[in-house]
Amino acid sequence: MIQALIHEGRVEVQEPIPASWEGQTVHIVPLTPDDPLPDLEDRLTALHQMGPAEFEPGEREQIRAQLGELDRVSAAALAAIEGGRP
């Protein structure tokens, strides 16, 4: 299976099409939250089996500071957008 987006009535493939598919007719169906990726449950199980994340000393503080900076930048961008409205 490959994933693609439908944009302005055209199919935009998000990954390479296998050479063996050349010349074949394909059936495109939308992927909805009700249709998870087939291996999603396996991936989630493997992720949970890894246990909780472990951080190096100071890493949590660095993450917290970077998230704070992103909040500040996004709030400033939103304020600039809102300030430009009539």
Side-chain angles (χ1 to χ4, degrees):
M1 177 175 79
I2 62 170
Q3 291 193 26
L5 295 174
I6 306 297
H7 181 72
E8 295 182 3
R10 295 184 177 264
V11 177
E12 296 179 359
V13 179
Q14 303 298 302
E15 52 199 85
I17 298 172
S20 62
W21 290 20
E22 186 66 31
Q24 293 188 27
T25 301
V26 296
H27 183 78
I28 299 173
V29 297
L31 180 64
T32 68
D34 298 329
D35 302 321
L37 297 173
D39 63 344
L40 181 59
E41 289 302 320
D42 293 338
R43 290 181 184 198
L44 289 174
T45 299
L47 180 64
H48 288 291
Q49 287 175 347
M50 292 173 68
E54 296 179 11
F55 295 95
E56 297 293 325
E59 194 173 15
R60 287 182 191 269
E61 293 76 15
Q62 183 183 12
I63 292 169
R64 194 172 291 120
Q66 290 172 348
L67 288 174
E69 177 64 10
L70 286 172
D71 284 345
R72 186 192 66 73
V73 169
S74 60
L78 184 57
I81 292 170
E82 290 175 343
R85 290 186 180 168

